[in-house]
Amino acid sequence: QFFFNQLHQGVLPLWNPYIYSGYPFFADMTLSNFYPPAWLLYFNTSIKTVSWLLVGHFLVAGYFTYRLGQLLKYSRLASLFSAIIYTFSGIMVNYIADPQRFFVISLFPLFFYVLFNGKIIFIALALALQIFAGHIQYVFIELLACLLFWRQWKVLAVATGLAGLLAAVSLLPMLEFIPYTTRPEAYQDLSIYQNFSLRPVSMIRFVLAHFWGIKNQGSAWGTMDTSSIGYLGFLPLVLIGLNLKKLIENKITLKFVIIAGLSLMIAFGTHLPFFNIFTTYIPLFRFFRNPMVFLSLYTFFMALLAGRAYELFKFDKIINRIKWGFLVVTLVSGLAYAIFLFYPGLPHQLLIWVAG
């Protein structure tokens, strides 16, 4: 609101004097000042405008997940299944309260859709849009995931450079600001990651989001953390498990399995005995303190895998069995009703016979 109030007064707010003794406002990219959809707030900063902004991102996430499914040759139902799972996943719903994260992850489907299309300018625009959204760590892990799609490396490298130029107005002030923060020194110690690491016991919330209760309703018990952001539900996990062998046999879904598996593993953070390998050998990794952000990649690629698993699962056979079962039950019930209708005393006689 400060940003848009200043713009209304014809001032470009490089500095915010109302935070502590002053704050480099222009250099804080997490404020999403250059994110085009957020410019709606320039005209109206009401909660209704914010709500429509969030709803719009849900629609974008669902639409491009569906389109990506179609691009991957999924059926319409399978594409829709993936779209529903990702759009209403734990991470999407939870991050409504954290708009910068929400904006970036809602654009994951758009980014991978244009990536698989292979058009440099659109990849660059999608990437720049995510950078402007304000949470650079999600952009970083997204690019890490792209390393498995080696055929797109050259295209991705050019697109990333172009996106950097497009987003320079946000990136350059941030890079100038970083040396004055306390984080680079803090990251020398692995303990900084401990509070942001997924505890294995919390994985129950991937299936049962409210297993530990609901904190703001006073029903919380046991361990409470943000692990519900990994929630997918029971059915997607069962479908993936039942069709895992077939998913691994396909080259593209094998990559999805690898990305989802590695993302889940890294999310455990300091609970992994070899976590320091990631902080030591992956460039820039140590500058991000929250390993659980990898659950966003886990969720997205698991949603895509669930769509493919839905397609592979032989629902037609199950439906046929249900139809035949329903037919048999209907015939037996109808026959029993007809007998009892013509022989009203038969039930009583049967009970006497059974009792005797």
Side-chain angles (χ1 to χ4, degrees):
Q1 189 170 0
F2 169 78
F3 179 69
F4 294 112
N5 286 341
Q6 291 290 296
L7 289 183
H8 275 297
Q9 297 173 27
V11 177
L12 185 62
L14 302 180
W15 186 263
N16 186 345
Y18 303 108
I19 298 179
Y20 301 114
S21 298
Y23 184 77
F25 186 82
F26 199 75
D28 189 352
M29 69 182 305
T30 63
L31 298 174
S32 306
N33 292 328
F34 300 101
Y35 185 53
W39 295 345
L40 287 172
L41 300 176
Y42 178 83
F43 304 99
N44 190 334
T45 57
S46 68
I47 189 66
K48 187 176 181 179
T49 305
V50 175
S51 299
W52 278 112
L53 189 61
L54 296 174
V55 170
H57 281 79
F58 272 112
L59 294 175
V60 166
Y63 175 75
F64 281 102
T65 303
Y66 176 84
R67 291 299 302 272
L68 179 57
Q70 294 281 279
L71 190 63
L72 295 171
K73 307 301 182 183
Y74 290 8
S75 67
R76 290 182 178 181
L77 277 177
S79 301
L80 181 62
F81 189 62
S82 289
I84 290 172
I85 291 171
Y86 185 64
T87 304
F88 301 105
S89 61
I91 197 164
M92 286 288 289
V93 174
N94 272 270
Y95 280 169
I96 290 176
D98 195 338
Q100 285 72 31
R101 295 174 188 263
F102 177 74
F103 292 156
V104 180
I105 66 171
S106 65
L107 296 175
F108 273 2
L110 169 63
F111 172 77
F112 283 101
Y113 175 74
V114 296
L115 176 67
F116 283 115
N117 266 321
K119 295 181 179 179
I120 293 176
I121 185 62
F122 292 118
I123 298 172
L125 288 172
L127 200 54
L129 196 61
Q130 287 181 297
I131 294 171
F132 283 138
H135 208 294
I136 196 69
Q137 185 173 2
Y138 289 91
V139 180
F140 171 70
I141 66 173
E142 178 184 73
L143 292 175
L144 282 181
C146 291
L147 295 178
L148 280 181
F149 303 109
W150 59 271
R151 289 184 179 179
Q152 283 87 8
W153 278 7
K154 292 182 180 179
V155 171
L156 185 63
V158 174
T160 302
L162 184 56
L165 292 175
L166 292 172
V169 67
S170 180
L171 288 172
L172 293 179
M174 179 202 69
L175 293 173
E176 186 179 2
F177 183 34
I178 285 177
Y180 299 98
T181 68
T182 58
R183 285 193 176 185
E185 296 177 1
Y187 291 156
Q188 301 300 322
D189 184 2
L190 283 180
S191 63
I192 189 70
Y193 306 96
Q194 189 168 354
N195 293 331
F196 303 95
S197 297
L198 176 66
R199 287 179 285 182
V201 70
S202 299
M203 286 188 67
I204 187 65
R205 297 185 73 188
F206 283 24
V207 180
L208 303 171
H210 294 156
F211 183 81
W212 304 115
I214 304 175
K215 191 172 183 179
N216 59 9
Q217 293 183 7
S219 61
W221 64 281
T223 178
M224 286 299 296
D225 53 26
T226 58
S227 59
S228 61
I229 62 175
Y231 174 78
L232 285 172
F234 181 73
L235 181 59
L237 296 176
V238 169
L239 288 175
I240 292 171
L242 291 175
N243 294 278
L244 186 59
K245 183 179 178 181
K246 293 179 180 178
L247 291 171
I248 292 175
E249 290 172 353
N250 180 277
K251 289 183 179 180
I252 188 68
T253 51
L254 172 60
K255 291 179 180 180
F256 293 170
V257 169
I258 292 172
I259 294 173
L262 286 175
S263 298
L264 178 60
M265 181 180 68
I266 295 173
F268 287 113
T270 55
H271 298 292
L272 293 173
F274 50 84
F275 180 69
N276 63 317
I277 293 177
F278 300 111
T279 60
T280 303
Y281 295 105
I282 299 180
L284 303 178
F285 190 101
R286 67 186 183 89
F287 291 107
F288 302 109
R289 64 180 177 176
N290 189 352
M292 285 180 64
V293 300
F294 279 88
L295 289 179
S296 58
L297 282 180
Y298 161 81
T299 301
F300 177 65
F301 284 99
M302 286 293 280
L304 292 178
L305 288 169
R308 182 60 180 151
Y310 173 89
E311 198 169 39
L312 292 171
F313 198 66
K314 302 300 181 182
F315 279 103
D316 53 342
K317 290 184 178 180
I318 293 178
I319 291 172
N320 284 332
R321 289 176 184 175
I322 292 174
K323 287 180 179 178
W324 280 107
F326 179 76
L327 181 61
V328 169
V329 170
T330 302
L331 289 174
V332 171
S333 301
L335 182 61
Y337 177 75
I339 292 173
F340 294 150
L341 184 65
F342 288 102
Y343 299 97
L346 184 60
H348 180 65
Q349 293 175 9
L350 288 174
L351 287 173
I352 294 174
W353 179 75
V354 171

